[in-house]
DNA sequence: TATATCGTTGTTTTT
DNA sequence: CAACGATATA
């Protein structure tokens, strides 16, 4: 009697295939995690494979934790020996061991988007970047793209495409050097450097030798670097099992390459492919609606999701007059449900952008409905929390100037830009790090008052650093708060200081919780704590049993399921996003996102849209219902208050992108390219020609902005679709 | 060097 | 709208 009897025939087929490449195409709600966990259990219990030899990679900590727990339920404590990890934590773990091979110390800090922006901003200032189009954020995003594609600064420098590229290349090069100097890695580095490490024969051999069986979850969302990492590890034994669903690939903007899953069989000719098509989650109507939308995607391989469940409720579509009315409708539905024996925790609100959470938050607050928002402004990113974390980061890694500059004058110590510059110069001259230069402040020739404050800060930090190995993170937190008198500083920060103080206290609680957890048994080093905070994901702390309404973006909802779902803000230019309006690839990704949203619902799905809504603090009028709404087959939906037909007069929307209108489609006979045509560029991807300037230059709207291309070059680099 | 005030700018989506 | 940066003034 095999443990696999708990699976259906297809799931079982997948779970039994242990050796060689395996592709599991797992439709939404088809028992993917069940299959994978049973597969692991089968390997360990029935095939006698050592759990140490198994590596399972997921995208979020929550998914990793769930997988670990479910394997543990099946095989007990042996489960702890299986390496279940996210890509990023797996990378960090390896990088800590082999940091030196890449010129890093083991205690490197991890930079988030905020830190990246700060550093890039600093470098742009140093390089005197005058182009106002290039903001730190935009440059960071370009650099991240390069990294996701595996392009080094030198690769970018070779491709001297235009002035912008040259500037970005220069910043990128400095940025890369600066990261090493600061002993810090950004998110992309965690993967990129892991991948580099695996080029080292010693490391590769060790990893390949250890992990004979590799599994990857959510394979449709792997980027090119993650693909390389997995390919290298699995190369020796070829026991690679990837699980995914091309219809749920929603992270293209972050470098995810849907081709990884689509081309798996080409890459591994002897791969077994198993399709899981029975859905255990949703009713027939919900599945029908989801299927009617996704079949319009050209990247969909086509699958037939089916269920034994009943037809269930029709999908209710509500047309609200404005955003407020939309929130009220949802509020009423929840109150009604609550009176009929449902709980808050049965309800989830899904939206396209984080900003949309606000109006619901206000409604729920007014009516004392308990709720929790996942994602958005993360706890660890708040100013006051980040301040304390920055102190910890300096203590963990004195080379980290991004953190050091952040806190050097917080609380106010009268250390300004001038002083920092002088200390920096001194540090450069003497080839020491900035922090050590602070300790030798006497030699800098700065004014005596400022010297005293700098030295006092240095000594405080140095003190904690020296003891830090023996101190647990909460003790270090206490020393920082005491040493800086931070709470006192907060009282005069702004009118929200009380909430800020609460957050700082909550940080203490979160350290304490980790410290007390089974994993750490009372001691967590400051480095370990920082690592945790850097790698948390929005829904990692989602608790199924707590009775609150959950609110999150559709992206954050992936992999989760909820009894009753409100899919809100279903309007063109919001969903699909206005920024996805110009290319088919983008539109298809938005459609997949819509598919993900619909398939989260188990019993009932509400979809709503509003004809007016506050956007950027102004009211946007006559908003059209989302085109995706029209794509749902009518037999699955119930319009509970059919929208008033609004006159079709397209005004140019405030803020956001102006859509290309008919008036733009004038024809320039001389040019082989016409306005409105779709073109592909090998670097920028698909775009739409917006303008043909005097027959000389094309303005093309690509995914990451408008580009101007001289006709001569255009003929060389552009391919018409 | 700190603070006050004004103007600009942006918002997809995230490990 | 709100967060952030640039500029002026103490």
């Amino acid at each position: 009697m095999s443990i696999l009897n708990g699976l259906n025939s297809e799931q079982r087929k997948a779970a039994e295939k242990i050796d060689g490449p395996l592709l599991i195409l797992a439709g939404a709600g088809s028992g993917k995690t069940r299959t994978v966990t049973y597969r692991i259990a089968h390997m360990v219990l029935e095939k006698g494979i050592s759990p140490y030899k198994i590596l399972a990679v997921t995208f979020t900590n929550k998914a990793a934790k769930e997988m670990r727990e479910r394997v543990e339920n099946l095989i007990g404590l042996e489960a702890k020996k299986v390496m279940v990890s996210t890509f990023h934590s797996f990378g960090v773990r390896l990088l800590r061991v082999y940091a030196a091979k890449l010129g890093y110390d083991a205690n490197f800090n991890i930079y988030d988007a905020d830190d990246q922006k700060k550093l890039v901003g600093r470098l742009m200032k140093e390089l005197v970047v005058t182009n106002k189009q290039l903001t730190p954020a935009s440059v960071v995003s370009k650099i991240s793209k390069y990294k996701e594609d595996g392009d080094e600064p030198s690769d970018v420098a070779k491709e001297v495409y235009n002035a912008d590229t040259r500037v970005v290349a220069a910043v990128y090069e400095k940025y890369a050097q600066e990261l090493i100097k600061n002993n810090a890695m950004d998110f992309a580095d965690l993967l990129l450097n892991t991948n580099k490490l695996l080029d080292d024969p010693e490391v590769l051999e060790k990893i390949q030798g250890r992990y004979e069986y590799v599994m990857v979850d959510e394979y449709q969302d792997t980027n090119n670097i993650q693909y390389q990492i997995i390919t290298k590890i699995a190369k020796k034994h070829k026991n690679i099992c990837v699980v995914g669903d091309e219809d749920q690939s929603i992270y293209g903007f972050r470098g995810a390459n849907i081709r990884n899953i689509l081309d798996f069989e080409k890459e591994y000719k002897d791969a077994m492919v198993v399709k899981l098509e029975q859905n255990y989650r949703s009713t027939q109507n919900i599945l029908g609606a989801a299927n009617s939308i996704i079949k319009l995607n050209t990247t969909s391989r086509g699958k037939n999701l089916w269920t034994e469940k009943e037809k269930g409720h029709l999908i209710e579509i509500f047309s609200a007059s404005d955003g407020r009315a939309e929130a009220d409708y949802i509020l009423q539905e929840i109150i009604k449900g609550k009176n009929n024996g449902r709980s808050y925790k049965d309800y989830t609100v899904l939206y396209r952008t984080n900003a949309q959470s606000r109006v619901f938050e206000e409604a729920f607050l007014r009516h004392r409905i308990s709720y929790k928002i996942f994602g958005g402004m993360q706890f660890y990113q708040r100013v006051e929390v980040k301040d304390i974390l920055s102190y910890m980061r300096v203590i963990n890694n004195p080379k980290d100037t991004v953190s050091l500059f952040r806190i050097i004058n917080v609380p106010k110590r009268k250390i300004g830009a001038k002083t920092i510059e002088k200390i920096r110069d001194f540090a450069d001259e003497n080839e020491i790090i900035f922090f050590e230069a602070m300790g030798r402040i006497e030699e800098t020739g700065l004014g005596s008052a400022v010297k005293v404050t700098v030295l006092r800060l240095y000594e405080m930090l140095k003190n904690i650093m020296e003891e830090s190995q023996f101190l647990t993170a909460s003790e270090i937190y206490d020393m920082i708060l005491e040493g800086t008198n931070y709470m006192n500083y907060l009282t005069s920060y702004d009118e929200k200081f009380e909430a800020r103080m609460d957050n700082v206290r909550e940080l203490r609680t979160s350290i304490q919780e980790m410290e007390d957890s089974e994993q750490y048994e009372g001691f967590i080093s400051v480095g370990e704590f920082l690592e945790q905070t850097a790698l948390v994901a929005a829904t990692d702390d989602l608790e199924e049993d707590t009775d609150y309404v959950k609110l999150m973006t559709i992206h954050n909802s992936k992999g989760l399921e909820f009894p009753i779902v409100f899919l809100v803000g279903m309007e063109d230019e919001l969903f699909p996003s206005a920024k996805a309006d110009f290319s088919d690839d983008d539109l298809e990704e938005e459609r997949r996102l819509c598919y993900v949203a619909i398939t989260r619902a188990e019993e009932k799905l509400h979809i709503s849209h509003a004809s007016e809504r506050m956007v950027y603090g102004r009211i946007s009028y006559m908003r059209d219902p989302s085109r995706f709404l029209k794509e749902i087959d009518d037999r699955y939906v119930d319009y509970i208050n059919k929208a008033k037909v609004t006159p079709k007069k397209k005004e140019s929307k405030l803020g956001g992108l102006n859509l290309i209108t008919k008036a733009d489609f004038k024809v320039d006979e001389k040019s082989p390219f016409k306005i409105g045509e779709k073109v592909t560029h090998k670097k920028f991807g698909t775009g739409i020609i917006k303008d043909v300037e005097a027959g000389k230059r094309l303005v093309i709207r690509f995914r990451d902005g408008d580009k101007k291309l001289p006709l001569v070059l255009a003929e060389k680099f552009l391919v018409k679709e």
Side-chain angles (χ1 to χ4, degrees), chain A residues 341-364:
Chain A
R342 302 231 59 142
S343 317
Y344 291 138
K345 67 173 189 301
D346 297 335
Y347 296 92
T348 301
V349 180
L350 300 181
Y351 36 76
R352 179 65 180 81
T353 66
N354 285 302
Q356 289 167 261
S357 67
R358 213 166 133 163
V359 57
F360 297 102
E361 172 159 46
E362 281 164 6
F364 291 157

Side-chain angles (χ1 to χ4, degrees), chain A residues 565-587:
Chain A
V565 169
F566 295 99
L567 175 55
V568 304
M570 215 42 195
E571 295 141 35
D572 268 354
E573 299 197 327
L574 186 54
F575 192 19
S577 159
K579 306 217 168 172
D581 231 37
F582 52 89
S583 95
D584 284 351
D585 287 355
D586 283 356
L587 194 64

Side-chain angles (χ1 to χ4, degrees), chain A residues 331 334-335 338 344 360-371 547-549:
Chain A
L331 192 71
I334 294 175
I335 291 170
K338 181 86 173 159
Y344 291 138
F360 297 102
E361 172 159 46
E362 281 164 6
F364 291 157
L365 274 175
R366 265 204 315 277
H367 289 81
R368 303 181 188 289
I369 287 177
S370 63
Y371 68 93
D547 194 24
Y548 46 52
V549 178

Side-chain angles (χ1 to χ4, degrees), chain A residues 104 160 268 500 659 710:
Chain A
Y104 277 95
V160 184
Y268 297 95
R500 293 188 193 280
L659 291 175

Side-chain angles (χ1 to χ4, degrees), chain A residues 109-121:
Chain A
N109 282 343
I110 299 168
Y111 279 176
D112 64 19
D114 219 54
D115 305 313
Q116 288 181 279
K117 259 192 282 179
K118 285 232 164 79
L119 182 52
V120 163

Side-chain angles (χ1 to χ4, degrees), chain A residues 25-28 32 59 217-224 226 243-263 294 297-301 303 352 554-556 558-559 575 584-597 599-600 628 703:
Chain A
L25 292 170
K32 171 189 72 173
F59 271 78
D217 195 14
E218 307 279 15
Y219 195 64
Q220 76 281 356
D221 282 325
T222 48
N223 69 23
N224 293 340
Q226 288 164 326
V243 191
D245 177 2
E246 78 279 1
D247 292 335
Q248 294 186 67
S249 168
I250 56 173
Y251 283 106
F253 69 93
R254 175 174 102 178
N257 186 353
I258 193 171
R259 301 252 45 112
N260 289 346
I261 190 162
L262 293 175
D263 294 342
I294 201 64
N297 263 13
T298 57
T299 50
S300 184
R301 310 169 49 132
K303 64 165 89 63
R352 179 65 180 81
I554 303 166
H555 280 90
N556 275 326
K558 201 177 65 158
F575 192 19
D584 284 351
D585 287 355
D586 283 356
L587 194 64
E588 293 214 350
E589 180 148 317
E590 295 282 309
R591 192 177 283 112
R592 290 192 290 269
L593 194 56
C594 184
Y595 176 77
V596 167
T599 53
R600 294 313 94 195
F628 297 146
R703 187 197 184 88

Side-chain angles (χ1 to χ4, degrees), chain A residues 57-66 84-87 89 218 251 254 535 537-540 556 558:
Chain A
V57 189
T58 62
F59 271 78
T60 65
N61 297 305
K62 184 170 190 292
K65 189 174 156 213
E66 190 185 344
V84 186
S85 176
T86 65
F87 268 105
S89 333
E218 307 279 15
Y251 283 106
R254 175 174 102 178
L535 299 177
T539 53
D540 282 353
N556 275 326
K558 201 177 65 158

